[in-house]
Amino acid sequence: MIVCSCTVISDRDIEAALLEILNRPDAPIPTPGIVYRHLQKRMNCCGCAPLAVETIYNKVDELERKGLISPNVCASTRNKLLEFAAWSSRVRSKGKDAACAEIHAEDGPLKVA
């Protein structure tokens, strides 16, 4: 399934990125920004952000069920993703342009995770 049509990111791309990101000893919160940077992409219109968050959340659960990531990492990630989803909801209420500007301000230069 295509999650972001602007940068052509699929759910499989997100799953592969999550496996690499979450199996690192210093694993960051797998926000869309972290996952997109890992894939060497950037959000363009930010219309995919809600679907990206949902896909990340679902893939983390799926990877845990398959035993590909630690349940401890999964629980921590799930809590952090719920916090991010609440933040994202607040940002969305400001409007798409303001949300995109805020996301890009946090991104900084494109780097590979």
Side-chain angles (χ1 to χ4, degrees):
M1 166 182 76
I2 295 293
V3 174
C4 177
S5 58
C6 295
T7 57
V8 192
I9 294 176
S10 72
D11 61 330
R12 290 182 190 156
D13 297 327
I14 290 175
E15 181 175 350
L18 287 170
L19 266 173
E20 293 175 16
I21 292 167
L22 294 176
N23 280 311
R24 293 185 354 206
D26 61 339
I29 303 169
T31 62
I34 294 291
V35 173
Y36 278 52
R37 279 192 298 277
H38 186 82
L39 295 169
Q40 298 182 339
K41 310 272 182 155
R42 281 186 82 119
M43 286 187 181
N44 292 327
C45 74
C46 300
C48 63
L51 180 57
V53 170
E54 180 182 349
T55 302
I56 290 168
Y57 184 84
N58 291 336
K59 289 295 180 181
V60 166
D61 283 344
E62 185 180 319
L63 292 171
E64 180 192 21
R65 279 193 309 276
K66 291 178 179 178
L68 298 173
I69 59 173
S70 163
N72 294 335
V73 169
C74 189
S76 174
T77 299
R78 186 178 299 113
N79 289 335
K80 292 174 183 177
L81 282 172
L82 288 172
E83 290 172 14
F84 178 77
W87 171 85
S88 180
S89 178
R90 288 191 306 274
V91 170
R92 255 183 286 150
S93 69
K94 295 179 183 178
K96 186 171 120 178
D97 292 336
C100 197
E102 193 168 326
I103 288 170
H104 286 299
E106 292 175 359
D107 277 350
L110 180 63
K111 296 178 186 172
V112 178

